[in-house]
């Protein structure tokens, strides 16, 4: 049997309203809050779903109880109950009342990047249908942006201090972008409200990290057999979890630092390290691992030549692009490699390989451009870029789907001759400073040709000897 949380649920009071109670929220922020409730009952969560009622209804049926499975070398299970209110589509009045409750100090969100209704340049998309609708009826919002603006307007009108919008979605400068979007929206309704939000409301940037697989019937069965709890909505995540919050929270905010969150004045530094070291290594494993024939990250880690190459790439090439950093980069590399070895996660290389045209610029091309500018070698950084090109070529020529916003163009190029040169000519991916750089072009072309002729394993063995 699984032990219930040590606090009395009847003693909890809501101090956080959360929009988007999906699996990542319930495995990440809700876990931090659950541990906080052991000693401070003021911070229970009101879960709000703007779209589907399924998760809300399941939480309500279980009185907020659900299982968190920690997927590590040995699996562990915890019973959590940090949510005390469950609000779904159509329950506008209680949501508005909660946003105006002085006891609510945090309004958090995990609605995915598209839930913020942003344009391609990161600003609020005033042509988005949800934003157009909310501007026509600001007292009956349907978007997160509309709800934040309405809740803050109500607090201002009542003379209450503002709540803190806390974005927990994995997007760069998330608090900064959310603030700009809410101010832009408010400015169309009430310029005075926009000025008040700009001057009084804190929107911390955050960095969140923990691999959270989707909930499956297999997980439900596993939880039932291991704990005796027939849980409708268990969640699972790896043992590693990181939560970095910009150090601007007011003094009356929940003490998330006491349960493992890190307050930092340089969230961007953490974010950049994650993007380049963790995600850059992931992409490298994906394209090289798929060319060799592996299925998951953990399997690819068993290939010594590949694992050794990725480790040198992180420690010698990517880390050099991050100095100075708020992180001990060597220890961070150790953590990443240990996470990659976790066989319980089964992180699919094919999934990591999706949307390469969007991911490579931030993960690998920026570090390569900076290395060239600083006179550092780029021979290793060119390898995953070349592997991506060979991956595109192999998929296109086999007639297999390429999951990418540029899929049609990538498939056309992949079926043609001179794939490397043609891909380097895609300005949507390769900035001119790289595409026209002879050293970069040569390094990528030579790596691609060497992998074609010798095969990726033999190529990596040769790289190990350099």
């Amino acid at each position: 049997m699984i032990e219930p949380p040590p606090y009395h649920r009847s003693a909890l009071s809501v101090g956080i309203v959360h929009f988007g109670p999906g699996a990542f929220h319930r495995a990440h922020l809700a876990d931090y809050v659950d541990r906080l409730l052991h000693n401070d009952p003021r911070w229970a969560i009101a879960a709000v779903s703007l779209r589907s009622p399924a998760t809300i209804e399941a939480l309500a049926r279980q009185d907020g109880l659900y299982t968190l499975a920690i997927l590590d070398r040995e699996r562990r299970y915890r019973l959590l109950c940090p949510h005390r209110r469950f609000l779904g589509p159509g329950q506008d009045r209680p949501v508005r009342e909660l946003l105006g409750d002085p006891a609510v100090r945090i309004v958090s969100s995990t609605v995915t990047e598209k839930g913020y209704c942003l344009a391609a340049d990161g600003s609020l998309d005033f042509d988005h249908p949800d934003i157009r609708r909310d501007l026509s009826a600001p007292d009956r919002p349907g978007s997160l942006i509309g709800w934040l603006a309405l809740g803050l307007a109500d607090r201002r009108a009542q003379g209450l201090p503002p709540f803190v919008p806390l974005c927990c979605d994995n997007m760069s400068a998330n608090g900064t972008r959310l603030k700009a979007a809410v101010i832009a929206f408010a400015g169309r309704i009430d310029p005075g409200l926009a000025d008040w939000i700009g001057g009084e409301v804190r929107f911390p940037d955050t960095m969140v990290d923990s691999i959270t697989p989707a909930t499956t019937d297999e997980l439900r069965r596993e939880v039932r057999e291991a704990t005796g709890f027939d849980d409708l909505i268990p969640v699972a995540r790896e043992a590693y979890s990181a939560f970095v919050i910009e150090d601007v929270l007011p003094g009356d905010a929940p003490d998330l630092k006491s349960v493992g969150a890190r307050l930092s004045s340089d969230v961007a530094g953490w974010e950049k390290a994650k993007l380049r070291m963790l995600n850059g290594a992931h992409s490298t494993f994906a394209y090289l691992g798929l060319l060799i024939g592996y299925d998951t990250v953990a399997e690819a880690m068993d290939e010594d030549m590949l694992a050794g190459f990725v480790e040198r790439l992180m420690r010698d090439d990517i880390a050099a692009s991050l100095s100075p950093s708020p992180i001990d980069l060597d220890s961070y590399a150790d953590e990443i490699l240990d996470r990659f070895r976790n066989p319980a996660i089964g992180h699919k290389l094919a999934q990591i390989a999706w949307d390469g045209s969007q991911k490579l610029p931030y993960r690998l091309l920026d570090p390569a451009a900076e290395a060239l500018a600083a006179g550092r070698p780029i021979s290793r950084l060119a390898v995953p870029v070349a592997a991506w090109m060979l991956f595109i070529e192999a998929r296109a020529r086999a007639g297999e789907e390429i999951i990418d916003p540029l899929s049609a163009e990538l498939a056309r190029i992949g079926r043609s001759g001179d794939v490397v040169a043609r891909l380097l000519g895609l300005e949507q991916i390769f900035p001119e400073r790289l595409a026209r750089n002879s050293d970069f072009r040569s390094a990528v072309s030579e790596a691609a040709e060497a992998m074609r002729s010798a095969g990726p394993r033999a190529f990596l063995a040769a790289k190990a000897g350099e």
Side-chain angles (χ1 to χ4, degrees):
M1 296 295 292
I2 188 170
E3 293 294 324
Y7 48 77
H8 294 288
R9 282 173 277 166
S10 60
L12 301 179
S13 58
V14 170
I16 300 171
V17 175
H18 183 83
F19 287 86
F24 183 76
H25 160 71
R26 287 180 287 119
H28 190 263
L29 173 62
D31 177 35
Y32 286 88
V33 172
D34 183 82
R35 286 179 277 125
L36 185 62
L37 293 173
H38 292 194
N39 298 308
D40 191 343
R42 297 175 297 159
W43 302 113
I45 302 170
V48 180
S49 177
L50 296 177
R51 302 287 184 233
S52 169
T55 298
I56 292 296
E57 291 172 353
L59 276 170
R61 280 199 297 273
Q62 297 180 179
D63 195 25
L65 287 165
Y66 67 94
T67 311
L68 172 62
I70 303 297
L71 307 181
D72 207 355
R73 277 72 177 176
E74 291 186 8
R75 300 202 175 199
R76 295 178 283 120
Y77 305 90
R78 290 181 48 225
L79 197 59
L80 278 60
C81 192
H83 304 91
R84 297 314 301 145
R85 296 283 302 276
F86 317 100
L87 302 167
Q91 294 182 278
D92 293 1
R93 183 172 179 178
V95 173
R96 187 170 183 178
E97 289 173 351
L98 276 169
L99 294 181
D101 184 346
V104 170
R105 301 302 300 122
I106 298 287
V107 177
S108 52
S109 58
T110 45
V111 294
T112 74
E113 187 165 353
K114 67 181 180 181
Y116 297 92
C117 305
L118 302 179
D121 64 359
S123 63
L124 184 64
D125 182 3
F126 284 105
D127 290 326
H128 193 289
D130 291 351
I131 298 302
R132 289 203 309 267
R133 184 196 60 226
D134 287 358
L135 286 172
S136 68
D139 287 343
R140 293 180 285 108
S143 70
L144 173 70
I145 300 299
W147 271 114
L148 292 176
L150 179 61
L152 290 168
D154 286 347
R155 307 274 285 219
R156 176 178 176 241
Q158 296 166 30
L160 295 173
F163 51 72
V164 175
L166 189 69
C167 177
C168 299
D169 274 297
N170 190 13
M171 60 182 185
S172 179
N174 54 13
T176 300
R177 294 168 72 182
L178 179 57
K179 180 176 183 176
V182 174
I183 290 173
F185 182 92
R188 294 288 182 95
I189 301 168
D190 178 356
L193 173 62
D195 290 342
W196 182 79
I197 293 172
E200 299 295 329
V201 185
R202 308 179 194 195
F203 289 76
D205 285 330
T206 70
M207 191 280 286
V208 296
D209 187 13
S210 192
I211 297 172
T212 304
T215 296
T216 62
D217 288 340
E218 182 180 353
L219 176 64
R220 294 183 182 93
R221 183 169 55 253
E222 174 193 315
V223 167
R224 182 169 59 249
E225 292 172 354
T227 69
F229 178 26
D230 192 9
D231 194 344
L232 296 170
I233 48 168
V235 290
R237 67 164 171 81
E238 63 175 329
Y240 179 91
S241 179
F243 191 15
V244 183
I245 306 170
E246 185 180 2
D247 193 7
V248 296
L249 293 174
D252 60 353
D255 185 12
L256 292 166
K257 182 179 179 181
S258 69
V259 288
R262 183 185 296 269
L263 302 183
S264 174
S265 60
D266 187 10
V267 175
W270 285 86
E271 199 173 71
K272 189 175 180 181
K274 178 196 171 192
L275 190 64
R276 295 188 178 187
M277 290 194 74
L278 173 69
N279 299 137
H282 254 158
S283 289
T284 304
F285 268 121
Y287 300 121
L288 285 168
L290 288 169
L291 290 177
I292 292 172
Y294 290 113
D295 183 50
T296 68
V297 174
E299 289 175 2
M301 281 293 291
D302 286 336
E303 173 70 62
D304 290 341
M305 291 296 184
L306 177 53
F309 175 82
V310 174
E311 181 171 1
R312 290 194 304 278
L313 180 75
M314 283 198 298
R315 295 190 193 277
D316 296 343
D317 300 284
I318 297 177
S321 76
L322 296 169
S323 184
S325 174
I327 304 174
D328 180 335
L329 295 174
D330 205 46
S331 296
Y332 188 47
D334 290 339
E335 286 181 341
I336 290 170
L337 293 167
D338 186 62
R339 293 168 69 185
F340 287 173
R341 293 187 186 97
N342 185 352
I345 292 297
H347 204 170
K348 297 285 189 181
L349 296 174
Q351 183 179 0
I352 299 168
W354 293 352
D355 302 327
S357 70
Q358 306 294 297
K359 295 172 179 176
L360 287 181
Y362 304 104
R363 298 181 178 192
L364 294 161
L365 300 186
D366 284 347
E370 291 169 18
L372 285 167
R376 297 193 301 268
I378 61 162
S379 61
R380 271 189 295 264
L381 285 164
V383 170
V385 180
W388 169 73
M389 293 177 173
L390 297 184
F391 164 80
I392 293 297
E393 181 180 67
R395 286 267 170 162
R397 294 184 178 179
E400 297 176 352
E401 182 183 14
I402 297 171
I403 300 176
D404 194 287
L406 301 179
S407 58
E409 190 163 11
L410 293 176
R412 179 181 57 78
I413 292 174
R415 291 190 296 268
S416 69
D418 204 6
V419 171
V420 172
R422 288 174 181 269
L423 288 175
L424 284 170
L426 286 178
E427 60 183 18
Q428 305 99 307
I429 306 173
F430 295 93
E432 187 173 346
R433 59 180 173 161
L434 282 180
R436 292 182 176 274
N437 186 286
S438 59
D439 290 337
F440 179 74
R441 293 180 70 90
S442 295
V444 173
S445 299
E446 289 168 9
E449 185 55 37
M451 280 189 276
R452 275 199 193 102
S453 59
R457 268 201 185 93
F459 170 79
L460 290 173
K463 293 294 285 185
E466 290 180 358

